[in-house]
Amino acid sequence: MLRITELKLPLDHPAEDLPAAILTRLDIPATDLIDFTVARRGNDARRKSAIQLVYSIDVTVKDEDAVLTRFAADSHVNRAPDTEYRFVAQAPADYAGPRPVVIGAGPCGLLAGLILAQMGFRPIIVDRGRVVRERTKDTWGLWRRSVLDPESNVQFGEGGAGTFSDGKLYSRVKDPRFLGRKVLTEFVKAGAPPEILTDAHPHIGTFRLVTMVESIRDTIEQLGGEYRFGHRVDDLDIETLADGSRRLRGLHFHNGDYLAADHVVMAVGHSARDTFHMLHDRGVHIEAKPFAIGVRIEHPQSWIDKARFGDCARHPDLGAAAYSLSHQAANGRTVYSFCMCPGGRVVAATSEEGRVVTNGMSQYSRAEFNANSGLVVTIDPERDYPGDALAGIEFQRHWESLAYVAGGSSYAAPGQKVGDFLAGRPSTELGEVVPSYKPGVHLTDLSQCLPPFAIEALREALPVFGRQIANYDHPDAVMTGVETRTSSPIRITRGPDGQSLNLAGLYPAGEGAGYAGGILSAAIDGIKVAEAVAKKLVEA
């Protein structure tokens, strides 16, 4: 099979134009084309008056070798890659060895648990939060009534933080083994729309993620896996061996339960701050890691659609427009858009009392009025929060607490219009843009809850972005703060075998461990770590 990439056709092309374009591209007669499938479809909107659909096509022809020879110098005609997933190990039918434990039921933990279950190792998945539907009710409790459950919220519980997001399923991580394809295939089996296998920028949306998470749980349980919700790991049982090395032997939970375990995937997500402190106190090797801080910025989705697609805005093959922006500020900071949510809303995402954190989410339809995105500024451990490995957590907490106060100490988010922000004055009334954040927005001055270097960089970047996307720096666009959970502030360092550098049996994984950023990359890392665990189990 061959793969043709960068095959471009007009936005409204008839269906029959695609096979005709394949024949023209390969310069073969119709009798030589046996079959074709769309591997990927995106768009090129650089010229708004002539937007094109961009295809990657897998093609079967009569004489593939002859075609490849003719196109040897063409990087867009190649042998189609082998994307089939192959298990690295398989437990024997009578396997009675140790059961691996996965801590965390977010994207990383779910895929780690699923792969281990598919390999026959009957994993135990533990999570401090609740099952996804109960967790959804708890999350709405904060959004609608300003009632926070510290153990069941946007960050904690079945599905992880990705459940209440845009459900974006693309990543820039290198993936030579096409593990991302395995993730997407499993998501489709669990109820995701099949088009995520071909869309250049696939997404699912919160409501579909909920049912998918439940389906994956059912699959894991049918394969012999087990879930234990409401189990927060509060301590580790560590054995020190004769040579001075240390090995994990079990887990202590906050409710007094104990679980013997010597192969543990630590997939807790980027907000498990108490767990990070526990690991640090128990001597697990942790390093400080850069992340970013900023705001959520909102515009009417129609503005973004018009700026990106011109007269083709809202075309059914284009959907709600997204954007990606970056600017290197004069103070040495990079300002960039993060987790852009077309047709979505800004949501309360704190997991700790007395703090305000913002995030963005969309449903599959992306049909809500506003577009929102994180607009964040890079920070650096040595420069901004020197100290021990956990100093970044206190840095986050400091600004989240100030945001809580600036918002009126009620879980409302502090907000400011872009025009007022650029002018350095507090906002007192809204204009054309109505913010979507629940439980509400309190207009104020965001300089009360952001570092001065971030304010300076954002004020420089906004007019630059306004020249790239019309109305981006419109005076009535609204910013709400603070966005602090862009990625984990720490890395739980692991070796080539996937284990902690100084605690055998502990396998740090995913976003919380500092090895991923987003649903897809976290799920891919979950597969990698599950494979490392499986190899150790079959060696034992």
Side-chain angles (χ1 to χ4, degrees):
M1 184 180 295
L2 307 179
R3 175 163 292 181
I4 305 171
T5 57
E6 292 295 307
L7 186 65
K8 297 185 178 182
L9 290 170
L11 180 59
D12 285 310
H13 72 83
E16 59 269 20
D17 282 5
L18 189 53
I22 294 169
L23 296 175
T24 300
R25 182 69 178 84
L26 296 181
D27 191 21
I28 58 174
T31 53
D32 282 5
L33 179 60
I34 298 172
D35 193 18
F36 72 90
T37 58
V38 175
R40 183 64 55 91
R41 191 186 78 167
N43 66 72
D44 182 348
R46 286 175 292 181
R47 292 178 58 206
K48 299 182 187 67
S49 61
I51 295 175
Q52 295 179 302
L53 296 179
V54 184
Y55 292 90
S56 293
I57 307 289
D58 287 344
V59 183
T60 303
V61 299
K62 282 186 177 179
D63 192 343
E64 292 182 358
D65 290 338
V67 173
L68 286 172
T69 298
R70 284 194 294 112
F71 288 90
D74 191 330
S75 62
H76 297 300
V77 179
N78 291 286
R79 191 82 66 186
D82 180 2
T83 61
E84 182 181 354
Y85 180 74
R86 295 172 178 83
F87 295 104
V88 300
Q90 194 69 40
D94 59 349
Y95 178 75
R99 297 177 69 180
V101 176
V102 178
I103 304 174
C108 180
L110 284 178
L111 265 293
L114 180 62
I115 294 297
L116 287 166
Q118 290 174 339
M119 289 190 286
F121 292 104
R122 299 168 50 244
I124 300 171
I125 296 95
V126 300
D127 195 285
R128 66 192 297 167
R130 299 188 176 99
V131 296
V132 68
R133 291 195 183 269
E134 293 179 12
R135 176 195 175 205
T136 300
K137 295 176 183 177
D138 296 332
T139 299
W140 280 98
L142 174 60
W143 296 350
R144 290 173 172 169
R145 304 188 309 277
S146 297
V147 177
L148 172 68
D149 185 333
E151 295 298 324
S152 182
N153 46 60
V154 167
Q155 306 295 346
F156 301 144
E158 186 179 23
T163 305
F164 301 98
S165 71
D166 188 43
K168 285 179 283 291
L169 298 175
Y170 50 92
S171 172
R172 293 184 176 90
V173 300
K174 294 180 180 179
D175 187 20
R177 293 177 54 208
F178 300 97
L179 298 180
R181 183 73 178 185
K182 170 65 171 174
V183 175
L184 298 182
T185 300
E186 293 296 343
F187 282 0
V188 170
K189 290 180 183 177
E195 53 264 32
I196 69 171
L197 296 173
T198 55
D199 285 352
H201 293 90
H203 75 285
I204 298 176
T206 291
F207 288 164
R208 293 199 181 201
L209 277 165
V210 168
T211 58
M212 281 172 45
V213 166
E214 292 176 318
S215 178
I216 292 173
R217 185 208 319 156
D218 184 61
T219 299
I220 290 172
E221 290 176 335
Q222 287 183 22
L223 291 170
E226 176 186 343
Y227 278 76
R228 299 184 187 182
F229 291 102
H231 276 65
R232 186 184 70 233
V233 178
D234 273 3
D235 202 2
L236 306 179
D237 182 8
I238 299 173
E239 178 186 7
T240 302
L241 305 180
D243 61 0
S245 63
R246 303 193 308 158
R247 174 150 201 99
L248 182 61
R249 294 301 186 192
L251 305 171
H252 293 278
F253 298 98
H254 77 291
N255 59 3
D257 287 356
Y258 174 81
L259 178 62
D262 52 14
H263 293 81
V264 175
V265 178
M266 180 66 72
V268 293
H270 62 37
S271 294
R273 294 166 170 174
D274 46 8
T275 303
F276 298 156
H277 277 283
M278 180 272 290
L279 293 172
H280 188 257
D281 291 344
R282 299 295 275 139
V284 175
H285 191 275
I286 294 176
E287 299 173 346
K289 177 184 137 316
F291 56 103
I293 189 171
V295 298
R296 280 270 150 185
I297 186 167
E298 289 188 87
H299 307 83
Q301 182 62 46
S302 59
W303 293 6
I304 305 301
D305 292 339
K306 184 68 174 178
R308 291 279 287 111
F309 297 142
D311 292 340
C312 294
R314 304 309 293 180
H315 189 284
D317 284 338
L318 296 175
Y323 60 79
S324 178
L325 298 168
S326 181
H327 172 70
Q328 186 67 36
N331 65 0
R333 310 285 180 160
T334 300
V335 183
Y336 63 97
S337 59
F338 169 81
C339 185
M340 195 271 157
C341 297
R345 63 174 56 199
V346 181
V347 298
T350 188
S351 54
E352 296 179 334
E353 294 178 345
R355 298 189 171 95
V356 164
V357 180
T358 60
N359 195 12
M361 65 172 277
S362 299
Q363 298 303 342
Y364 180 70
S365 64
R366 289 178 165 174
E368 297 195 51
F369 187 73
N370 282 355
N372 77 80
S373 174
L375 191 63
V376 296
V377 181
T378 54
I379 54 182
D380 177 72
E382 294 184 5
R383 186 177 183 181
D384 299 316
Y385 47 95
D388 67 21
L390 304 184
I393 295 175
E394 297 313 311
F395 182 91
Q396 290 174 322
R397 283 173 165 161
H398 172 76
W399 298 108
E400 292 168 9
S401 296
L402 290 179
Y404 179 77
V405 173
S409 300
S410 64
Y411 293 111
Q416 190 172 14
K417 294 191 298 184
V418 165
D420 293 331
F421 177 80
L422 292 174
R425 60 176 178 258
S427 289
T428 57
E429 61 181 2
L430 295 171
E432 289 188 56
V433 182
V434 178
S436 60
Y437 176 94
K438 299 297 182 184
V441 172
H442 176 73
L443 292 176
T444 183
D445 183 350
L446 287 173
S447 65
Q448 300 175 73
C449 52
L450 286 171
F453 68 78
I455 296 289
E456 179 184 15
L458 287 167
R459 283 178 175 153
E460 178 183 324
L462 279 163
V464 175
F465 294 156
R467 292 191 289 273
Q468 298 174 27
I469 297 179
N471 286 321
Y472 197 86
D473 59 343
H474 190 286
D476 286 349
V478 175
M479 302 189 301
T480 50
V482 289
E483 173 91 36
T484 54
R485 312 283 179 96
T486 54
S487 66
S488 180
I490 59 112
R491 175 168 288 115
I492 310 171
T493 321
R494 66 192 185 200
D497 63 354
Q499 297 185 75
S500 161
L501 291 182
N502 65 345
L503 181 58
L506 183 69
Y507 294 78
E511 195 159 350
Y515 289 96
I519 294 173
L520 187 62
S521 62
I524 289 172
D525 199 58
I527 294 176
K528 292 177 180 178
V529 172
E531 292 176 339
V533 171
K535 289 177 181 177
K536 283 292 182 183
L537 288 170
V538 297
E539 289 174 4

